[in-house]
Amino acid sequence: MNALNKKTVEDIDVKGKKCLVRCDFNVPVKDGVITDDKRIREAMKTIRYLVDHGAKVILCSHMGKPKGEFNEKYSLKPVAKRISELLGKEVYMCKDVIGEDAKSHAAALNDGDVMLLENTRFHAGEEKNDPEYSKELASMAEIFVNDAFGTAHRAHASTAGVTAYLPAVCGYLIQKEIEIMGKALEAPERPFVAILGGAKIADKLNVINNLLEKCDTLVIGGGMAFTFLKAMGYEIGKSLVDDTKIEYCKDMMKKAEANGKKLLLPIDTAIAASFPDPIDAEIDVSYVDSDKIPANMEGLDIGPKTCALFADAIKSAKTVIWNGPMGVFENPTLAKGTIEVAKAVAESECVSIIGGGDSAAAVEQLGFADKMTHISTGGGASLEFLEGLELPGIAALNDK
Ligand code: AMP
């Protein structure tokens, strides 16, 4: 899939038109204050374009999981305030989503005005992709613009459903995400190194399979590596493992070999007697080679030799895609592997693409964000994209 095949805001005349713009404003809020506004900042290019071109802008988004009913905790009010600050003009915050307040304000918008509907998930129809709900949303507008990359893998009423009732185009953020990741998958500068980590191998089966066809080197760390290590016949102690995926790992190792791809696994491991509880508790760790994990110990991070091995592969890469931490990075003692990989990617000259979620958070926290080519705004969405799946929120848009 390639957003270039989809119409964008530049392909239609938006002047004087009411544009329903689906963004991903699912940002963390604590005590009414947004703690990370990256997703809002990333949406501003499309919003500014529409305002500058005289559109009547009706923004919408979900936030959190309010379970289909109004809940003040998940109100988008702080988001309206932040957009207003960034835009330097008032953004009207609606009291409802498809109610009287939203509809009357939408009807009265002047060219260049901006309003924000309440949380689309305040109605159960959102996640059910209920056509009646989509129709109500669409009834307020003349054009639909989807710029919610973080939600593009979900066929919901405000992401895919509305496209049945309005001309539908994508915004700049979706365009950027798909172009950068699409190019990396389809025509990467080589060597292309893909790095996967995180806890569960079951979540990443198709990503491993797809990336093994595209990349030159696949690097696997984090909890998911232990199923591979066990498949190699290693004793992995109490480390995280999915015994139902041993055969799968063997197949993937064979596939890598048959296709001349390098598959790098941890050669040493940080081990501890048990998983830290609470997760950031002080913990005693030691480092052993990956084939020498004692039966009563658990592997919780990659070790220094592995960091060097992975960094070496990253150094010579021209393209890197990274999704998932190398260890239990929430704990300072077990964050070393993730930090070292982040550093190596930041220092490399390569095109670097960070899948959303934990690896994006790690890169931002460590202060490496501006050293990366692209940090995706969508964890789940970028993962599904890397699997080679069609994202329903994008597939539903009008072709060029
Ligand atoms: P995921 O949601 O699959 O991306 O996994 C992210 C989680 O994986 C983080 O919360 C990490 O703490 C966890 N994780 C990474 N490495 C390990 C490991 N070796 N053992 C257990 N959990 C891990």
Side-chain angles (χ1 to χ4, degrees), residues 197-201 203-204 221-226 239-240 269-270 275 279 298-302 323-331 334 338 356-359 383:
K200 284 186 234 98
I201 187 162
D203 294 345
K204 298 195 174 141
M224 62 190 278
F226 295 101
S239 308
L240 207 62
T269 303
F275 197 87
I279 200 158
E298 185 168 353
L300 296 168
D301 191 15
I302 55 173
N323 190 303
M326 296 291 104
V328 184
F329 76 108
E330 297 91 336
N331 185 297
L334 301 168
T338 303
D358 289 332
S359 16
L383 214 49

Side-chain angles (χ1 to χ4, degrees), residues 62-187:
H62 79 285
M63 182 196 278
K65 296 193 163 87
K67 304 204 175 97
E69 56 189 50
F70 182 85
N71 182 340
E72 184 69 32
K73 190 176 150 202
Y74 299 109
S75 169
L76 291 177
K77 264 183 226 154
V79 175
K81 187 164 163 268
R82 185 73 189 119
I83 301 168
S84 178
E85 286 164 5
L86 292 167
L87 201 57
K89 71 183 279 167
E90 201 210 320
V91 173
Y92 178 75
M93 181 65 220
C94 297
K95 295 179 183 62
D96 46 33
V97 194
I98 48 169
E100 192 40 44
D101 189 58
K103 285 185 177 164
S104 60
H105 274 88
L109 286 173
N110 290 314
D111 293 2
D113 280 355
V114 183
M115 61 184 257
L116 173 61
L117 304 179
E118 254 304 1
N119 192 333
T120 50
R121 287 194 189 165
F122 284 173
H123 290 264
E126 169 70 337
E127 289 181 84
K128 290 187 192 136
N129 197 7
D130 175 4
E132 288 308 315
Y133 186 48
S134 300
K135 231 186 255 181
E136 289 284 336
L137 285 165
S139 73
M140 286 183 269
E142 295 152 283
I143 292 171
F144 174 63
V145 178
N146 190 5
D147 213 18
F149 180 75
T151 330
H153 57 313
R154 308 262 181 249
H156 289 170
S158 72
T159 62
V162 280
T163 62
Y165 309 102
L166 292 172
V169 302
C170 70
Y172 290 110
L173 177 58
I174 282 194
Q175 195 185 5
K176 178 172 89 171
E177 293 266 14
I178 299 295
E179 274 178 6
I180 293 180
M181 285 196 278
K183 172 158 191 280
L185 288 184
E186 296 313 325

Side-chain angles (χ1 to χ4, degrees), residues 40-52:
I40 300 176
R41 285 183 280 112
E42 293 279 2
M44 292 311 294
K45 186 171 176 189
T46 299
I47 300 172
R48 282 200 188 97
Y49 175 89
L50 293 171
V51 169
D52 291 347

Side-chain angles (χ1 to χ4, degrees), residues 285-317:
V285 301
S286 48
Y287 294 95
V288 295
D289 287 348
S290 294
D291 60 350
K292 296 196 178 58
I293 302 173
N296 60 344
M297 301 293 264
E298 185 168 353
L300 296 168
D301 191 15
I302 55 173
K305 292 184 205 166
T306 307
C307 288
L309 175 75
F310 289 2
D312 228 34
I314 294 164
K315 221 179 270 168
S316 58

Side-chain angles (χ1 to χ4, degrees), residues 180-188 190-197 203-221 224 228 248 252 255-257 259-264 319-324 326 353-355 359 382-389:
I180 293 180
M181 285 196 278
K183 172 158 191 280
L185 288 184
E186 296 313 325
R190 297 185 182 275
F192 170 19
V193 176
I195 309 166
L196 293 176
D203 294 345
K204 298 195 174 141
L205 298 176
N206 297 324
V207 187
I208 296 171
N209 192 31
N210 195 37
L211 286 176
L212 263 183
E213 278 158 26
K214 314 275 183 189
C215 71
D216 301 298
T217 301
L218 181 61
V219 170
I220 294 185
M224 62 190 278
F228 277 93
Y248 176 86
M252 288 301 112
K255 178 169 176 167
E257 201 177 328
N259 295 348
K261 314 278 176 161
K262 267 192 222 159
L263 178 62
L264 298 184
T319 303
V320 169
I321 286 186
W322 176 21
N323 190 303
M326 296 291 104
I353 299 169
I354 313 299
S359 16
S382 66
L383 214 49
E384 290 198 16
F385 187 79
L386 297 181
E387 280 179 41
L389 293 178

